[in-house]
Amino acid sequence: MRGKTILITGGAGFIGSHLATHFSTHNIVTVLDDLSSGSRDNLKGLELRFVKGSILNRRLVKHLCKGTDFVFHLAAMASVQSSIADPERCFRVNVDGSLNLLKAAVEGKVKKFIFSSSAAVYGESPELPKRETMLPVPISPYAASKLAVEHQCIVYNKLYGLPFVCLRLFNVYGPKQDPKSQYSGVISKFIAAALAKQPLIVFGDGLQTRDFVYVGDVVNSFEAAIRDGNGIFNIASGATTTINGLASVLVRITHSSSSIIHKPGKPGDIMHSRASIRKAVSKLKWIPRMQLARGLAETVTWQNQKV
Ligand SMILES: NC(=O)c1ccc[n+]([C@@H]2O[C@H](COP(=O)([O-])OP(=O)(O)OC[C@H]3O[C@@H](n4cnc5c(N)ncnc54)[C@H](O)[C@@H]3O)[C@@H](O)[C@H]2O)c1
């Protein structure tokens, strides 16, 4: 894609900064981020406009959406645990903030609105693999907020014809994920512990499974989402790994002497997660390409350079 105007909310964060890197080479990119969990360092050297501000600022959001081709909406309180601690703030940022953007996108005649939803919406439903047609059973304010925004996207499409795609991202990993952040994923935390020869802490029995997807594949899913269709799509690898298995692999590939220890599970954590990615493959023509072993090695290399 070339020559388009793109607004990336949350573009200074982990996933958003990969999108900014990818799209800013041939397009006119604006990043809106309040830096509550993201960092300007993630955008170093990129040719784009950075606006420090919140998606809760209606006037700002309206101004930025005007005449923009595509909105990639990633800004959020992106942590299940923080959402349990402060559900009001979670809904204010994730739901009210998203509504500001949807309204502004309609007024600004945005061509497509791409929303980063989450596998968390499936919550407790025991069925595997998770399919987009299943009834979501959210078990955290974070998951409920993501589902509410998906519904708002559908409503704005029906009422005002705003084209949209909601990408239900599963567990995303890769370079630039900050292991020190409370929002960060298990892979970056395990790598940081292994490199520091600290114990890797597994919450619960470690038999939980997750479907890890590399951030480069996620970037490609946003590009695919622009090209085709409306609707809701799982973005994942379609394969699962146990948390115990992941910990062992990371200890091995970092040549670490770290031990693996267990602590009680966390509320709001789901037991098993695996996606069916058939819908994204058939409708968006998107395929995840990164093998987990290689993706982990690349992430380890990046984190090693940061130490
Ligand atoms: N990382 C994952 O595995 C994963 C999985 C599913 C869904 N997601 C979703 O993808 C998106 C990006 O996640 P991430 O892992 O890159 O998280 P992140 O915390 O690195 O990025 C979120 C960004 O949003 C910004 N932000 C927060 N509140 C804001 C506000 N009010 N106004 C403007 N900016 C604000 C933060 O400063 C940060 O830069 C989030 O919406 C998250 O819910 C992530």
Side-chain angles (χ1 to χ4, degrees), residues 10 12-16 32-38 53-56 74-78 93 116-119 142 146 169-172 177 183:
F14 162 48
I15 302 171
L32 171 64
D33 200 302
D34 69 355
L35 300 180
S36 53
S37 63
S54 173
I55 55 169
L56 293 172
L74 293 94
M77 178 196 263
V93 174
S116 61
S117 185
S118 168
Y142 169 73
K146 290 287 178 184
L169 308 180
F170 280 60
N171 286 67
V172 187
Q177 198 166 26
Y183 299 94

Short mmCIF file of all heavy atoms in Angstrom, two decimals, residues 10 12-16 32-38 53-56 74-78 93 116-119 142 146 169-172 177 183, ligand 1:
data_model
loop_
_atom_site.label_atom_id
_atom_site.label_comp_id
_atom_site.label_asym_id
_atom_site.label_seq_id
_atom_site.Cartn_x
_atom_site.Cartn_y
_atom_site.Cartn_z
N GLY A 10 -2.36 4.48 19.68
CA GLY A 10 -1.54 3.52 20.41
C GLY A 10 -0.30 3.12 19.62
O GLY A 10 0.30 2.07 19.84
N ALA A 12 2.67 4.17 19.68
CA ALA A 12 3.98 4.12 20.36
C ALA A 12 4.12 2.86 21.20
O ALA A 12 5.14 2.65 21.86
CB ALA A 12 4.15 5.36 21.24
N GLY A 13 3.09 2.02 21.15
CA GLY A 13 3.14 0.77 21.92
C GLY A 13 3.82 -0.35 21.14
O GLY A 13 4.37 -0.12 20.06
N PHE A 14 3.74 -1.53 21.67
CA PHE A 14 4.41 -2.69 21.09
C PHE A 14 3.92 -2.96 19.65
O PHE A 14 4.68 -2.82 18.68
CB PHE A 14 4.18 -3.89 22.03
CG PHE A 14 4.40 -5.24 21.43
CD1 PHE A 14 5.55 -5.53 20.69
CD2 PHE A 14 3.46 -6.26 21.61
CE1 PHE A 14 5.75 -6.79 20.14
CE2 PHE A 14 3.66 -7.52 21.08
CZ PHE A 14 4.79 -7.79 20.34
N ILE A 15 2.66 -3.29 19.51
CA ILE A 15 2.16 -3.66 18.16
C ILE A 15 2.05 -2.42 17.27
O ILE A 15 2.45 -2.43 16.10
CB ILE A 15 0.78 -4.36 18.26
CG1 ILE A 15 0.88 -5.60 19.15
CG2 ILE A 15 0.27 -4.73 16.87
CD1 ILE A 15 -0.46 -6.24 19.49
N GLY A 16 1.53 -1.32 17.86
CA GLY A 16 1.33 -0.10 17.08
C GLY A 16 2.62 0.41 16.46
O GLY A 16 2.62 0.90 15.32
N LEU A 32 -1.17 8.69 17.27
CA LEU A 32 -1.75 9.35 18.45
C LEU A 32 -1.55 8.42 19.64
O LEU A 32 -2.01 7.27 19.63
CB LEU A 32 -3.25 9.60 18.25
CG LEU A 32 -4.02 10.09 19.48
CD1 LEU A 32 -3.51 11.46 19.94
CD2 LEU A 32 -5.52 10.15 19.20
N ASP A 33 -0.83 8.92 20.64
CA ASP A 33 -0.54 8.07 21.81
C ASP A 33 -0.33 8.97 23.02
O ASP A 33 0.31 10.02 22.91
CB ASP A 33 0.73 7.24 21.53
CG ASP A 33 0.83 6.02 22.43
OD1 ASP A 33 0.85 6.20 23.66
OD2 ASP A 33 0.90 4.90 21.91
N ASP A 34 -0.88 8.56 24.17
CA ASP A 34 -0.67 9.37 25.38
C ASP A 34 0.54 8.91 26.18
O ASP A 34 0.80 9.41 27.27
CB ASP A 34 -1.95 9.38 26.25
CG ASP A 34 -2.23 8.02 26.89
OD1 ASP A 34 -1.50 7.05 26.58
OD2 ASP A 34 -3.18 7.93 27.69
N LEU A 35 1.24 7.93 25.66
CA LEU A 35 2.47 7.39 26.26
C LEU A 35 2.22 6.82 27.67
O LEU A 35 3.14 6.75 28.47
CB LEU A 35 3.59 8.45 26.29
CG LEU A 35 4.01 8.98 24.91
CD1 LEU A 35 5.13 10.02 25.03
CD2 LEU A 35 4.47 7.84 23.98
N SER A 36 0.99 6.39 27.94
CA SER A 36 0.72 5.80 29.25
C SER A 36 1.42 4.46 29.40
O SER A 36 1.82 4.09 30.50
CB SER A 36 -0.78 5.67 29.50
OG SER A 36 -1.39 4.97 28.43
N SER A 37 1.55 3.71 28.32
CA SER A 37 2.37 2.49 28.40
C SER A 37 3.36 2.40 27.24
O SER A 37 4.32 1.65 27.30
CB SER A 37 1.49 1.23 28.45
OG SER A 37 0.75 1.10 27.26
N GLY A 38 3.16 3.19 26.19
CA GLY A 38 4.08 3.16 25.05
C GLY A 38 5.26 4.10 25.26
O GLY A 38 5.34 4.79 26.28
N GLY A 53 -1.27 12.66 22.92
CA GLY A 53 -2.62 13.01 23.35
C GLY A 53 -3.45 11.77 23.54
O GLY A 53 -3.00 10.65 23.23
N SER A 54 -4.67 11.99 24.03
CA SER A 54 -5.51 10.85 24.39
C SER A 54 -6.67 10.69 23.42
O SER A 54 -7.21 11.67 22.90
CB SER A 54 -6.06 11.05 25.80
OG SER A 54 -7.00 10.03 26.09
N ILE A 55 -7.07 9.44 23.24
CA ILE A 55 -8.28 9.17 22.44
C ILE A 55 -9.52 9.69 23.15
O ILE A 55 -10.60 9.71 22.57
CB ILE A 55 -8.43 7.66 22.10
CG1 ILE A 55 -8.41 6.80 23.37
CG2 ILE A 55 -7.35 7.22 21.13
CD1 ILE A 55 -8.81 5.35 23.13
N LEU A 56 -9.37 10.08 24.41
CA LEU A 56 -10.51 10.66 25.14
C LEU A 56 -10.72 12.14 24.79
O LEU A 56 -11.75 12.71 25.15
CB LEU A 56 -10.29 10.51 26.65
CG LEU A 56 -10.31 9.06 27.13
CD1 LEU A 56 -9.89 8.95 28.58
CD2 LEU A 56 -11.69 8.45 26.93
N LEU A 74 -5.52 1.00 18.12
CA LEU A 74 -4.90 0.07 19.08
C LEU A 74 -4.82 0.64 20.49
O LEU A 74 -4.54 -0.11 21.44
CB LEU A 74 -3.47 -0.30 18.62
CG LEU A 74 -3.40 -1.14 17.35
CD1 LEU A 74 -3.21 -0.26 16.14
CD2 LEU A 74 -2.31 -2.18 17.44
N ALA A 75 -5.01 1.95 20.66
CA ALA A 75 -4.86 2.56 21.99
C ALA A 75 -5.85 1.92 22.95
O ALA A 75 -7.03 1.80 22.65
CB ALA A 75 -5.11 4.06 21.91
N ALA A 76 -5.35 1.48 24.09
CA ALA A 76 -6.23 0.83 25.06
C ALA A 76 -5.52 0.64 26.37
O ALA A 76 -4.28 0.67 26.44
CB ALA A 76 -6.65 -0.55 24.53
N MET A 77 -6.31 0.44 27.43
CA MET A 77 -5.76 -0.16 28.63
C MET A 77 -5.69 -1.65 28.29
O MET A 77 -6.71 -2.33 28.18
CB MET A 77 -6.68 0.07 29.83
CG MET A 77 -6.15 -0.58 31.08
SD MET A 77 -7.40 -0.73 32.38
CE MET A 77 -7.01 0.69 33.35
N ALA A 78 -4.48 -2.14 28.06
CA ALA A 78 -4.33 -3.43 27.40
C ALA A 78 -4.01 -4.56 28.39
O ALA A 78 -3.38 -5.55 28.01
CB ALA A 78 -3.25 -3.34 26.32
N VAL A 93 -11.40 4.46 28.89
CA VAL A 93 -10.41 4.49 27.80
C VAL A 93 -10.85 3.59 26.64
O VAL A 93 -10.92 4.03 25.49
CB VAL A 93 -9.02 4.04 28.31
CG1 VAL A 93 -8.02 3.94 27.16
CG2 VAL A 93 -8.51 5.00 29.38
N SER A 116 -8.19 -3.29 17.00
CA SER A 116 -7.47 -4.43 17.59
C SER A 116 -8.26 -4.96 18.77
O SER A 116 -8.16 -4.46 19.88
CB SER A 116 -6.07 -4.02 18.03
OG SER A 116 -6.15 -3.02 19.00
N SER A 117 -9.08 -5.97 18.49
CA SER A 117 -9.82 -6.64 19.55
C SER A 117 -8.93 -7.75 20.13
O SER A 117 -7.72 -7.78 19.87
CB SER A 117 -11.13 -7.19 19.00
OG SER A 117 -11.89 -7.74 20.06
N SER A 118 -9.54 -8.63 20.90
CA SER A 118 -8.70 -9.60 21.61
C SER A 118 -9.39 -10.96 21.73
O SER A 118 -10.62 -11.04 21.86
CB SER A 118 -8.43 -9.06 23.02
OG SER A 118 -7.86 -10.07 23.82
N ALA A 119 -8.55 -11.99 21.78
CA ALA A 119 -9.03 -13.35 22.04
C ALA A 119 -9.70 -13.44 23.41
O ALA A 119 -10.46 -14.38 23.66
CB ALA A 119 -7.85 -14.32 21.99
N TYR A 142 -11.64 -5.98 30.83
CA TYR A 142 -10.89 -5.79 29.57
C TYR A 142 -11.61 -6.50 28.42
O TYR A 142 -11.87 -5.90 27.36
CB TYR A 142 -9.47 -6.34 29.74
CG TYR A 142 -8.68 -6.44 28.46
CD1 TYR A 142 -8.19 -5.30 27.83
CD2 TYR A 142 -8.41 -7.68 27.87
CE1 TYR A 142 -7.47 -5.39 26.64
CE2 TYR A 142 -7.68 -7.78 26.69
CZ TYR A 142 -7.21 -6.63 26.09
OH TYR A 142 -6.49 -6.74 24.91
N LYS A 146 -13.59 -4.90 25.07
CA LYS A 146 -13.26 -5.20 23.67
C LYS A 146 -14.51 -5.65 22.91
O LYS A 146 -14.74 -5.27 21.76
CB LYS A 146 -12.18 -6.29 23.60
CG LYS A 146 -10.80 -5.83 24.07
CD LYS A 146 -10.17 -4.90 23.05
CE LYS A 146 -8.83 -4.38 23.49
NZ LYS A 146 -8.25 -3.42 22.56
N LEU A 169 -6.96 -10.43 18.21
CA LEU A 169 -5.57 -10.87 18.32
C LEU A 169 -5.44 -11.87 19.46
O LEU A 169 -5.97 -11.65 20.56
CB LEU A 169 -4.65 -9.67 18.58
CG LEU A 169 -4.80 -8.47 17.61
CD1 LEU A 169 -3.82 -7.36 17.99
CD2 LEU A 169 -4.58 -8.91 16.17
N PHE A 170 -4.72 -12.96 19.21
CA PHE A 170 -4.42 -13.91 20.28
C PHE A 170 -3.13 -13.43 20.96
O PHE A 170 -2.92 -12.24 21.06
CB PHE A 170 -4.40 -15.34 19.71
CG PHE A 170 -5.81 -15.89 19.57
CD1 PHE A 170 -6.74 -15.25 18.74
CD2 PHE A 170 -6.23 -16.98 20.30
CE1 PHE A 170 -8.06 -15.71 18.65
CE2 PHE A 170 -7.55 -17.44 20.22
CZ PHE A 170 -8.46 -16.80 19.39
N ASN A 171 -2.27 -14.31 21.44
CA ASN A 171 -1.10 -13.81 22.20
C ASN A 171 0.02 -13.36 21.27
O ASN A 171 0.68 -14.20 20.66
CB ASN A 171 -0.60 -14.89 23.15
CG ASN A 171 -1.53 -15.05 24.33
OD1 ASN A 171 -2.67 -15.49 24.16
ND2 ASN A 171 -1.09 -14.66 25.50
N VAL A 172 0.18 -12.06 21.18
CA VAL A 172 1.16 -11.50 20.24
C VAL A 172 2.51 -11.42 20.95
O VAL A 172 2.60 -11.05 22.12
CB VAL A 172 0.72 -10.09 19.78
CG1 VAL A 172 1.64 -9.59 18.68
CG2 VAL A 172 -0.74 -10.10 19.30
N GLN A 177 8.44 -5.76 22.64
CA GLN A 177 7.49 -5.95 23.74
C GLN A 177 8.28 -5.72 25.03
O GLN A 177 9.30 -6.37 25.25
CB GLN A 177 6.93 -7.37 23.71
CG GLN A 177 5.66 -7.52 24.51
CD GLN A 177 4.92 -8.81 24.20
OE1 GLN A 177 5.55 -9.79 23.79
NE2 GLN A 177 3.62 -8.83 24.39
N TYR A 183 1.69 -4.55 31.17
CA TYR A 183 0.84 -4.94 30.06
C TYR A 183 1.49 -6.05 29.22
O TYR A 183 0.89 -6.56 28.30
CB TYR A 183 0.60 -3.74 29.13
CG TYR A 183 -0.09 -2.60 29.80
CD1 TYR A 183 0.63 -1.56 30.36
CD2 TYR A 183 -1.48 -2.56 29.89
CE1 TYR A 183 -0.01 -0.50 30.98
CE2 TYR A 183 -2.13 -1.52 30.51
CZ TYR A 183 -1.40 -0.49 31.05
OH TYR A 183 -2.03 0.54 31.67
N1 LIG B 1 -0.14 -7.82 22.87
C1 LIG B 1 -1.10 -8.73 22.74
O1 LIG B 1 -0.83 -9.94 22.86
C2 LIG B 1 -2.51 -8.34 22.42
C3 LIG B 1 -3.48 -9.34 22.30
C4 LIG B 1 -4.80 -8.98 22.02
C5 LIG B 1 -5.13 -7.66 21.81
N2 LIG B 1 -4.17 -6.70 21.93
C6 LIG B 1 -4.58 -5.30 21.72
O2 LIG B 1 -3.70 -4.68 20.80
C7 LIG B 1 -3.52 -3.30 21.15
C8 LIG B 1 -2.05 -2.97 21.31
O3 LIG B 1 -1.51 -3.80 22.33
P1 LIG B 1 0.03 -3.74 22.74
O4 LIG B 1 0.40 -5.10 23.23
O5 LIG B 1 0.81 -3.11 21.66
O6 LIG B 1 -0.08 -2.81 24.03
P2 LIG B 1 0.75 -1.49 24.41
O7 LIG B 1 0.38 -1.18 25.82
O8 LIG B 1 2.19 -1.66 24.07
O9 LIG B 1 0.10 -0.41 23.44
C9 LIG B 1 -1.03 0.35 23.76
C10 LIG B 1 -0.70 1.80 23.43
O10 LIG B 1 -1.86 2.60 23.66
C11 LIG B 1 -1.44 3.80 24.29
N3 LIG B 1 -2.61 4.33 25.01
C12 LIG B 1 -3.22 3.83 26.10
N4 LIG B 1 -4.26 4.61 26.45
C13 LIG B 1 -4.30 5.64 25.56
C14 LIG B 1 -5.13 6.76 25.39
N5 LIG B 1 -6.16 7.02 26.23
N6 LIG B 1 -4.92 7.59 24.35
C15 LIG B 1 -3.89 7.36 23.49
N7 LIG B 1 -3.05 6.32 23.61
C16 LIG B 1 -3.26 5.46 24.64
C17 LIG B 1 -0.31 3.39 25.20
O11 LIG B 1 0.53 4.45 25.59
C18 LIG B 1 0.41 2.37 24.31
O12 LIG B 1 1.39 3.00 23.50
C19 LIG B 1 -4.36 -3.08 22.41
O13 LIG B 1 -5.60 -2.57 22.05
C20 LIG B 1 -4.50 -4.47 22.99
O14 LIG B 1 -5.68 -4.58 23.76
C21 LIG B 1 -2.87 -7.00 22.23
#
